[in-house]
Amino acid sequence: MADTLNVSTYKDISYQLKKSDRKTTSIYIERDGTVLVIAPSPFDVEKIEQIIESKRSWIYKSLAEWEDLNRTRIHREYVNGESFLYFGRNYRLQLVKDQLEPLTFHYGQFKLLDSEVANAPDHFKNFYKTKLQQRLNERLKLYQPKMKLKPASIRVMELQNRWGSCTSKGAINLHWKCAMLPLSVLDYVIVHELAHLEDKNHSPKFWRTIEKVMPDYDEAKKWLKFNGAGMTL
């Protein structure tokens, strides 16, 4: 897993620089609009700047696209009737005066103690983490035998701007926000990270590995691109 080192600027482009054990340098646009450069260490700053310059048009285009997509970002409030995503479907929130737990989900409705509104984000995160971990165990049973790949561990956690990650030790981590995704899109994220167990880069071989078990993976990939910004609390 790459380690964050610093934030740098080349002309008018600010970027986050991370080190990697890979031999090549890659540029990505993260979900928060950050320009991420993953490069081998020790860094050759001059070479990195040359690559950024060569990708300038692509970076501008990608950032403009990111801005367009994020105009539809949803800002939710913890009030009666607000909707929250749970495995691809919207469910309404009801504030209640009395229940044993701060947040519950019953009969297609979230119920939150009105005395816990200030702590609602933490309660939702904990709910999503618990439910996603349970669902992951089910989905892994489906895809591990097909791919003949088994992670050392799989955890649900805060991953900032990534849906998932695969460490050099074979551990897979998924963002708790994956509990908001439709099941088909969640499966794509899982399969994507499983494929990284044998191929750390997004090579043609990597995508073929995914396609073998998920021929329509491109639909889920596009869904994430255009709807990912809506996965918020």
Side-chain angles (χ1 to χ4, degrees):
M1 187 176 179
D3 298 316
T4 301
L5 288 187
N6 52 49
V7 175
S8 302
T9 301
Y10 171 67
K11 294 184 178 180
D12 60 337
I13 297 176
S14 294
Y15 63 94
Q16 188 179 79
L17 183 60
K18 292 186 178 182
K19 68 178 180 180
S20 169
D21 55 6
R22 65 180 66 185
K23 296 180 180 180
T24 58
T25 298
S26 300
I27 300 178
Y28 301 96
I29 306 300
E30 294 282 71
R31 286 196 294 118
D32 66 347
T34 299
V35 178
L36 173 65
V37 178
I38 300 180
S41 183
F43 299 116
D44 184 335
V45 176
E46 183 176 348
K47 183 176 180 181
I48 289 173
E49 290 181 347
Q50 288 175 354
I51 294 173
I52 291 175
E53 185 64 44
S54 69
K55 296 284 187 178
R56 178 176 292 277
S57 295
W58 176 84
I59 292 172
Y60 284 164
K61 179 181 178 182
S62 297
L63 288 176
E65 185 179 69
W66 177 86
E67 289 181 1
D68 286 341
L69 294 175
N70 277 270
R71 287 195 181 101
T72 59
R73 189 179 182 88
I74 299 171
H75 297 282
R76 293 180 170 87
E77 297 181 355
Y78 300 95
V79 297
N80 280 317
E82 181 66 277
S83 63
F84 289 84
L85 285 162
Y86 183 34
F87 292 122
R89 296 184 62 184
N90 278 296
Y91 297 95
R92 299 293 181 182
L93 174 67
Q94 179 185 2
L95 299 182
V96 297
K97 295 291 185 182
D98 183 44
Q99 62 181 10
L100 295 178
E101 299 177 17
L103 178 68
T104 61
F105 181 80
H106 293 297
Y107 304 109
Q109 188 175 53
F110 284 107
K111 294 186 177 183
L112 174 70
L113 281 172
D114 58 6
S115 60
E116 289 292 323
V117 168
N119 301 314
D122 288 334
H123 294 316
F124 268 93
K125 287 179 185 178
N126 290 333
F127 173 85
Y128 285 136
K129 286 178 181 178
T130 300
K131 298 302 182 181
L132 179 58
Q133 190 70 61
Q134 294 171 356
R135 186 61 63 93
L136 287 179
N137 295 331
E138 299 173 7
R139 307 316 290 172
L140 281 173
K141 289 179 181 178
L142 176 62
Y143 289 104
Q144 278 183 194
K146 294 180 180 180
M147 300 179 73
K148 298 180 181 179
L149 295 169
K150 184 177 181 180
S153 64
I154 185 161
R155 298 184 301 167
V156 178
M157 58 195 298
E158 179 71 54
L159 284 177
Q160 296 183 338
N161 303 310
R162 293 178 177 273
W163 291 108
S165 68
C166 180
T167 72
S168 58
K169 295 183 179 180
I172 288 177
N173 303 312
L174 293 189
H175 201 301
W176 56 264
K177 287 184 179 181
C178 287
M180 299 181 185
L181 302 176
L183 193 57
S184 60
V185 181
L186 171 61
D187 284 352
Y188 163 71
V189 176
I190 294 171
V191 170
H192 185 110
E193 298 308 327
L194 283 173
H196 273 314
L197 290 173
E198 64 177 9
D199 193 337
K200 300 302 180 185
N201 299 312
H202 294 101
S203 66
K205 178 176 175 292
F206 169 84
W207 293 112
R208 286 196 298 271
T209 298
I210 293 177
E211 190 174 25
K212 287 178 182 178
V213 295
M214 190 173 285
D216 58 350
Y217 77 88
D218 199 50
E219 293 181 16
K221 184 180 177 183
K222 289 178 180 177
W223 192 99
L224 271 181
K225 179 178 180 180
F226 289 101
N227 298 283
M231 308 298 105
T232 57
L233 285 177

PDB file of all heavy atoms in Angstrom, residues 216-228:
ATOM      1  N   ASP A 216     -19.675  -7.959 -17.120  1.00  0.00           N
ATOM      2  CA  ASP A 216     -20.258  -6.626 -17.253  1.00  0.00           C
ATOM      3  C   ASP A 216     -19.692  -5.644 -16.229  1.00  0.00           C
ATOM      4  O   ASP A 216     -20.354  -4.682 -15.843  1.00  0.00           O
ATOM      5  CB  ASP A 216     -21.775  -6.702 -17.115  1.00  0.00           C
ATOM      6  CG  ASP A 216     -22.203  -7.321 -15.788  1.00  0.00           C
ATOM      7  OD1 ASP A 216     -21.327  -7.858 -15.078  1.00  0.00           O
ATOM      8  OD2 ASP A 216     -23.406  -7.258 -15.457  1.00  0.00           O
ATOM      9  N   TYR A 217     -18.459  -5.884 -15.793  1.00  0.00           N
ATOM     10  CA  TYR A 217     -17.868  -5.043 -14.748  1.00  0.00           C
ATOM     11  C   TYR A 217     -17.815  -3.569 -15.126  1.00  0.00           C
ATOM     12  O   TYR A 217     -17.853  -2.676 -14.266  1.00  0.00           O
ATOM     13  CB  TYR A 217     -16.447  -5.522 -14.406  1.00  0.00           C
ATOM     14  CG  TYR A 217     -15.392  -5.119 -15.412  1.00  0.00           C
ATOM     15  CD1 TYR A 217     -14.727  -3.897 -15.286  1.00  0.00           C
ATOM     16  CD2 TYR A 217     -15.053  -5.935 -16.482  1.00  0.00           C
ATOM     17  CE1 TYR A 217     -13.757  -3.512 -16.204  1.00  0.00           C
ATOM     18  CE2 TYR A 217     -14.096  -5.554 -17.398  1.00  0.00           C
ATOM     19  CZ  TYR A 217     -13.450  -4.351 -17.256  1.00  0.00           C
ATOM     20  OH  TYR A 217     -12.488  -3.963 -18.164  1.00  0.00           O
ATOM     21  N   ASP A 218     -17.741  -3.273 -16.428  1.00  0.00           N
ATOM     22  CA  ASP A 218     -17.620  -1.880 -16.866  1.00  0.00           C
ATOM     23  C   ASP A 218     -18.844  -1.061 -16.477  1.00  0.00           C
ATOM     24  O   ASP A 218     -18.742   0.153 -16.241  1.00  0.00           O
ATOM     25  CB  ASP A 218     -17.395  -1.817 -18.372  1.00  0.00           C
ATOM     26  CG  ASP A 218     -16.808  -0.484 -18.807  1.00  0.00           C
ATOM     27  OD1 ASP A 218     -15.804  -0.057 -18.196  1.00  0.00           O
ATOM     28  OD2 ASP A 218     -17.345   0.142 -19.735  1.00  0.00           O
ATOM     29  N   GLU A 219     -19.998  -1.714 -16.400  1.00  0.00           N
ATOM     30  CA  GLU A 219     -21.209  -1.005 -15.982  1.00  0.00           C
ATOM     31  C   GLU A 219     -21.083  -0.538 -14.539  1.00  0.00           C
ATOM     32  O   GLU A 219     -21.453   0.599 -14.199  1.00  0.00           O
ATOM     33  CB  GLU A 219     -22.429  -1.911 -16.141  1.00  0.00           C
ATOM     34  CG  GLU A 219     -22.772  -2.244 -17.591  1.00  0.00           C
ATOM     35  CD  GLU A 219     -23.999  -3.122 -17.690  1.00  0.00           C
ATOM     36  OE1 GLU A 219     -24.745  -3.214 -16.684  1.00  0.00           O
ATOM     37  OE2 GLU A 219     -24.218  -3.713 -18.761  1.00  0.00           O
ATOM     38  N   ALA A 220     -20.574  -1.414 -13.671  1.00  0.00           N
ATOM     39  CA  ALA A 220     -20.387  -1.052 -12.265  1.00  0.00           C
ATOM     40  C   ALA A 220     -19.310   0.016 -12.126  1.00  0.00           C
ATOM     41  O   ALA A 220     -19.431   0.939 -11.307  1.00  0.00           O
ATOM     42  CB  ALA A 220     -20.005  -2.286 -11.458  1.00  0.00           C
ATOM     43  N   LYS A 221     -18.267  -0.095 -12.927  1.00  0.00           N
ATOM     44  CA  LYS A 221     -17.181   0.889 -12.901  1.00  0.00           C
ATOM     45  C   LYS A 221     -17.708   2.274 -13.262  1.00  0.00           C
ATOM     46  O   LYS A 221     -17.373   3.279 -12.614  1.00  0.00           O
ATOM     47  CB  LYS A 221     -16.088   0.453 -13.878  1.00  0.00           C
ATOM     48  CG  LYS A 221     -14.853   1.325 -13.888  1.00  0.00           C
ATOM     49  CD  LYS A 221     -13.846   0.792 -14.889  1.00  0.00           C
ATOM     50  CE  LYS A 221     -12.623   1.682 -14.967  1.00  0.00           C
ATOM     51  NZ  LYS A 221     -11.652   1.197 -16.007  1.00  0.00           N
ATOM     52  N   LYS A 222     -18.547   2.336 -14.300  1.00  0.00           N
ATOM     53  CA  LYS A 222     -19.130   3.618 -14.708  1.00  0.00           C
ATOM     54  C   LYS A 222     -20.107   4.133 -13.662  1.00  0.00           C
ATOM     55  O   LYS A 222     -20.182   5.340 -13.415  1.00  0.00           O
ATOM     56  CB  LYS A 222     -19.839   3.453 -16.061  1.00  0.00           C
ATOM     57  CG  LYS A 222     -18.894   3.253 -17.226  1.00  0.00           C
ATOM     58  CD  LYS A 222     -19.665   3.042 -18.526  1.00  0.00           C
ATOM     59  CE  LYS A 222     -18.712   2.849 -19.699  1.00  0.00           C
ATOM     60  NZ  LYS A 222     -19.446   2.560 -20.970  1.00  0.00           N
ATOM     61  N   TRP A 223     -20.864   3.230 -13.035  1.00  0.00           N
ATOM     62  CA  TRP A 223     -21.803   3.640 -11.999  1.00  0.00           C
ATOM     63  C   TRP A 223     -21.059   4.349 -10.864  1.00  0.00           C
ATOM     64  O   TRP A 223     -21.499   5.400 -10.386  1.00  0.00           O
ATOM     65  CB  TRP A 223     -22.548   2.426 -11.456  1.00  0.00           C
ATOM     66  CG  TRP A 223     -23.725   2.780 -10.589  1.00  0.00           C
ATOM     67  CD1 TRP A 223     -25.029   2.816 -10.963  1.00  0.00           C
ATOM     68  CD2 TRP A 223     -23.693   3.151  -9.204  1.00  0.00           C
ATOM     69  NE1 TRP A 223     -25.821   3.196  -9.902  1.00  0.00           N
ATOM     70  CE2 TRP A 223     -25.025   3.412  -8.808  1.00  0.00           C
ATOM     71  CE3 TRP A 223     -22.664   3.293  -8.265  1.00  0.00           C
ATOM     72  CZ2 TRP A 223     -25.357   3.804  -7.512  1.00  0.00           C
ATOM     73  CZ3 TRP A 223     -22.998   3.706  -6.972  1.00  0.00           C
ATOM     74  CH2 TRP A 223     -24.321   3.943  -6.605  1.00  0.00           C
ATOM     75  N   LEU A 224     -19.937   3.783 -10.439  1.00  0.00           N
ATOM     76  CA  LEU A 224     -19.136   4.398  -9.377  1.00  0.00           C
ATOM     77  C   LEU A 224     -18.653   5.779  -9.785  1.00  0.00           C
ATOM     78  O   LEU A 224     -18.676   6.726  -8.991  1.00  0.00           O
ATOM     79  CB  LEU A 224     -17.922   3.518  -9.054  1.00  0.00           C
ATOM     80  CG  LEU A 224     -18.088   2.440  -7.998  1.00  0.00           C
ATOM     81  CD1 LEU A 224     -16.772   1.705  -7.818  1.00  0.00           C
ATOM     82  CD2 LEU A 224     -18.536   3.043  -6.667  1.00  0.00           C
ATOM     83  N   LYS A 225     -18.239   5.891 -11.023  1.00  0.00           N
ATOM     84  CA  LYS A 225     -17.715   7.163 -11.510  1.00  0.00           C
ATOM     85  C   LYS A 225     -18.772   8.249 -11.461  1.00  0.00           C
ATOM     86  O   LYS A 225     -18.488   9.384 -11.046  1.00  0.00           O
ATOM     87  CB  LYS A 225     -17.199   6.988 -12.938  1.00  0.00           C
ATOM     88  CG  LYS A 225     -16.639   8.270 -13.550  1.00  0.00           C
ATOM     89  CD  LYS A 225     -16.113   8.017 -14.949  1.00  0.00           C
ATOM     90  CE  LYS A 225     -15.559   9.295 -15.560  1.00  0.00           C
ATOM     91  NZ  LYS A 225     -15.039   9.062 -16.940  1.00  0.00           N
ATOM     92  N   PHE A 226     -19.992   7.929 -11.865  1.00  0.00           N
ATOM     93  CA  PHE A 226     -21.037   8.946 -11.976  1.00  0.00           C
ATOM     94  C   PHE A 226     -21.904   9.104 -10.730  1.00  0.00           C
ATOM     95  O   PHE A 226     -22.581  10.115 -10.579  1.00  0.00           O
ATOM     96  CB  PHE A 226     -21.933   8.648 -13.180  1.00  0.00           C
ATOM     97  CG  PHE A 226     -21.250   8.884 -14.496  1.00  0.00           C
ATOM     98  CD1 PHE A 226     -20.744   7.818 -15.227  1.00  0.00           C
ATOM     99  CD2 PHE A 226     -21.085  10.159 -14.994  1.00  0.00           C
ATOM    100  CE1 PHE A 226     -20.087   8.026 -16.431  1.00  0.00           C
ATOM    101  CE2 PHE A 226     -20.436  10.385 -16.201  1.00  0.00           C
ATOM    102  CZ  PHE A 226     -19.932   9.318 -16.929  1.00  0.00           C
ATOM    103  N   ASN A 227     -21.864   8.117  -9.833  1.00  0.00           N
ATOM    104  CA  ASN A 227     -22.723   8.178  -8.654  1.00  0.00           C
ATOM    105  C   ASN A 227     -21.961   8.172  -7.337  1.00  0.00           C
ATOM    106  O   ASN A 227     -22.567   8.344  -6.270  1.00  0.00           O
ATOM    107  CB  ASN A 227     -23.710   7.007  -8.668  1.00  0.00           C
ATOM    108  CG  ASN A 227     -24.635   7.049  -9.851  1.00  0.00           C
ATOM    109  OD1 ASN A 227     -25.591   7.809  -9.896  1.00  0.00           O
ATOM    110  ND2 ASN A 227     -24.355   6.206 -10.841  1.00  0.00           N
ATOM    111  N   GLY A 228     -20.664   7.953  -7.395  1.00  0.00           N
ATOM    112  CA  GLY A 228     -19.868   7.855  -6.176  1.00  0.00           C
ATOM    113  C   GLY A 228     -19.966   9.061  -5.268  1.00  0.00           C
ATOM    114  O   GLY A 228     -19.938   8.949  -4.033  1.00  0.00           O
TER     115      GLY A 228
END
